[in-house]
Amino acid sequence: MAVGIFDSGLGGLTVLDAVSKRLPEVPFVYLGDNKHAPYGVRDADDVYDLTCAATQRLWDAGCDLVILACNTASAAALRRMQESWIPSDKRVLGVFVPLIEAMTERQWGDNSPPREVAVQHVALFATPATVRSRAFQRELAFRAIGVDVEAQACGGLVDAIEEGDMILAEALVRSHVDALKRKMPTPEAAILGCTHYPLMEDVFQDALGPEVSVYSQANLVADSLADYLVRHPAMRGPGETPMFLTTGDAKRVSDHATQFLRRQISFQPA
């Protein structure tokens, strides 16, 4: 019974890989809106419209539950979608909350008042749109007090990763870490707030130093989804066929995805 996973491009494949290993019995339908990627440079209304269209396509594929494996969509569109657009028999979940729960050492669904936590200085690396939304800070404030967050917009990094230019991607990571450290010299934790960034996690860790705890999302989201499906088994949709869908050029996206995950991936037009 299918579950949908959406990203503006290929970054959500890091989440798909983790959830597929964690839940091998679940058929996942992945949709990449490669035609309109990257989302990180778009305004909030544009991101909202594109995310709604992609979510509808996944519902049409038999996925009653859709995971926004795109931090920009989670940050700029999800709350608005939940308040005014998603029908009662569907669910759309983002990728911020599992990350924040892990960092603040909370169990899923712990809605107790915000409290002091061990980590006081947090670096957030994300797309420009995610940084502008301040969604991470908002969600964190529901759970923790006294945490200083310094956000660094990582312009150009998603494009470099999507194009497979890892030399440029590494240079950009180191440049963005240097810029962050000028604002926050000694972060205790770093959030990789884009699902593309786990592919560069070793570079982030090296640039930040071994004393900084680096949090990325794929495995945390996989554990959270497994827990959610145990508690809400009815949210597995009627779809039965795993698929990779793209709004872009299917052959080109397939080639990049194969390089991205180091296994054969075949996309079809959405």
Side-chain angles (χ1 to χ4, degrees):
M1 305 265 269
V3 172
I5 296 186
F6 167 66
D7 185 36
S8 60
L10 298 179
L13 291 174
T14 59
V15 173
L16 175 73
D17 204 38
V19 297
S20 296
K21 291 172 181 174
R22 183 71 171 77
L23 298 162
E25 74 284 3
V26 176
F28 290 97
V29 180
Y30 183 91
L31 171 57
D33 189 13
N34 302 82
K35 179 180 179 180
H36 301 107
Y39 279 16
V41 297
R42 294 180 176 275
D43 65 36
D45 285 343
D46 207 9
V47 172
Y48 174 80
D49 291 340
L50 291 169
T51 304
C52 288
T55 300
Q56 183 63 59
R57 177 65 183 89
L58 287 167
W59 288 342
D60 293 344
C63 304
D64 290 345
L65 171 63
V66 173
I67 309 299
L68 300 186
C70 173
N71 285 271
T72 300
S74 295
L78 180 57
R79 179 172 289 247
R80 183 175 165 191
M81 292 169 69
Q82 290 173 332
E83 289 173 349
S84 62
W85 186 73
I86 301 169
S88 60
D89 62 335
K90 310 288 187 187
R91 293 290 184 276
V92 179
L93 304 177
V95 288
F96 267 142
V97 171
L99 195 65
I100 293 171
E101 287 173 342
M103 195 188 74
T104 57
E105 299 182 341
R106 286 194 173 221
Q107 297 298 314
W108 197 98
D110 179 352
N111 293 318
S112 60
R115 57 179 181 261
E116 291 187 357
V117 295
V119 176
Q120 297 294 303
H121 303 285
V122 176
L124 170 66
F125 297 95
T127 66
T130 296
V131 170
R132 283 196 307 271
S133 75
R134 295 188 60 82
F136 177 83
Q137 291 91 326
R138 183 178 64 241
E139 294 292 342
L140 180 62
F142 291 145
R143 296 163 177 82
I145 57 176
V147 181
D148 179 25
V149 178
E150 189 64 60
Q152 176 63 36
C154 298
L157 183 53
V158 168
D159 295 288
I161 294 171
E162 287 269 333
E163 292 299 322
D165 190 342
M166 293 303 152
I167 294 175
L168 174 59
E170 178 171 348
L172 286 168
V173 168
R174 295 187 183 281
S175 174
H176 290 310
V177 170
D178 286 345
L180 183 285
K181 283 189 166 183
R182 287 195 291 272
K183 298 179 286 185
M184 178 181 278
T186 56
E188 299 163 275
I191 302 297
L192 304 188
C194 173
T195 48
H196 286 74
Y197 297 177
L199 292 168
M200 307 303 296
E201 184 172 350
D202 290 347
V203 180
F204 274 104
Q205 186 73 74
D206 183 64
L208 287 161
E211 69 282 359
V212 180
S213 299
V214 175
Y215 291 84
S216 62
Q217 293 165 309
N219 290 328
L220 295 172
V221 171
D223 289 342
S224 181
L225 176 60
D227 181 65
Y228 184 88
L229 288 175
V230 167
R231 290 178 296 103
H232 301 91
M235 290 316 303
R236 294 192 187 194
E240 297 179 353
T241 305
M243 289 184 286
F244 292 89
L245 303 172
T246 178
T247 59
D249 181 282
K251 183 182 185 309
R252 184 171 181 271
V253 173
S254 297
D255 290 344
H256 282 175
T258 297
Q259 178 185 8
F260 204 79
L261 285 187
R262 298 181 176 87
R263 61 184 173 88
Q264 186 64 45
I265 304 290
S266 295
F267 276 79
Q268 56 185 289

